[in-house]
Amino acid sequence: MKKYIILMLSVFFFSCNNEPSLQKYFVENSESPDFISVDIGSSIINTEKITLTDEDKKALKSFNKMNILAFKKDSLNEEKYQSETKKVKALLKQETYQQLMKMGSGSDGGALYFLSDEENIDEFVLFANKKENGFAVVRILGDNMDPNQILNLINLMQRSDVNLDQFKQLKDVMN
């Protein structure tokens, strides 16, 4: 019995990955007073009053949830803002994330990344940065997604009756 417990503990400790990841970054900072964290499920898209195409249905089926982490910059946390921005950019430069597109220039702008296995995209990440306000990282999680489905989801959010109260804290950060 003692050997079994030691074996189980060994497997547990060796199986834990201590390498930094975007998911760990979200967990570590979600309770920080400098950050605002919002988790949004697929139920945010109210499709009762709209007609769905087959592509819309496919996009909805692939979407699981969205995690948003935003850093609100002010005059007192400039150094932390610089440090946190560098951390996020380093995490996104990991081999696992592939950049799909970049927008803006300098310290204002953003980029869209994705994480996939051989054929299927399971995560899109949007990193948006505005020097005066701070930055936001949005993880869109799902199964077997593709870029067209993300565009369909955005379109569905615009057409559906989305409860915008869930985004109020984020709007305050970015304005």
Side-chain angles (χ1 to χ4, degrees), residues 113-132:
Y113 300 84
F114 66 95
L115 180 67
S116 71
D117 55 19
E118 297 296 315
E119 298 174 15
N120 303 312
I121 297 174
D122 294 323
E123 179 178 350
F124 281 94
V125 176
L126 173 65
F127 174 67
N129 189 26
K130 190 166 184 179
K131 188 176 182 180
E132 299 85 36

Side-chain angles (χ1 to χ4, degrees), residues 65-141:
K65 65 181 176 177
M66 197 180 329
N67 304 124
I68 304 169
L69 187 67
F71 182 91
K72 179 153 178 72
K73 183 182 170 205
D74 60 33
S75 61
L76 302 174
N77 64 5
E78 172 71 31
E79 191 173 307
K80 185 168 185 181
Y81 163 76
Q82 295 294 337
S83 171
E84 296 301 324
T85 302
K86 286 179 185 177
K87 285 180 190 177
V88 171
K89 287 180 178 180
L91 290 169
L92 292 171
K93 286 184 180 179
Q94 291 177 343
E95 292 179 25
T96 53
Y97 289 101
Q98 299 174 48
Q99 188 174 41
L100 187 62
M101 67 184 219
K102 192 173 185 172
M103 55 219 126
S105 63
S107 58
D108 290 347
L112 182 63
Y113 300 84
F114 66 95
L115 180 67
S116 71
D117 55 19
E118 297 296 315
E119 298 174 15
N120 303 312
I121 297 174
D122 294 323
E123 179 178 350
F124 281 94
V125 176
L126 173 65
F127 174 67
N129 189 26
K130 190 166 184 179
K131 188 176 182 180
E132 299 85 36
N133 299 27
F135 67 83
V137 184
V138 180
R139 295 176 69 216
I140 303 168
L141 305 168

Side-chain angles (χ1 to χ4, degrees), residues 1-16:
M1 180 66 164
K2 186 177 179 181
K3 287 182 181 181
Y4 178 74
I5 292 172
I6 292 172
L7 176 64
M8 291 303 291
L9 288 173
S10 297
V11 169
F12 174 75
F13 285 117
F14 286 113
S15 66
C16 292

Side-chain angles (χ1 to χ4, degrees), residues 51-61 149 152 156:
T51 304
L52 298 175
T53 67
D54 288 340
E55 289 298 313
D56 293 339
K57 291 175 186 175
K58 187 177 177 183
L60 275 174
K61 185 178 178 184
Q149 290 171 340
N152 279 352
L156 280 171

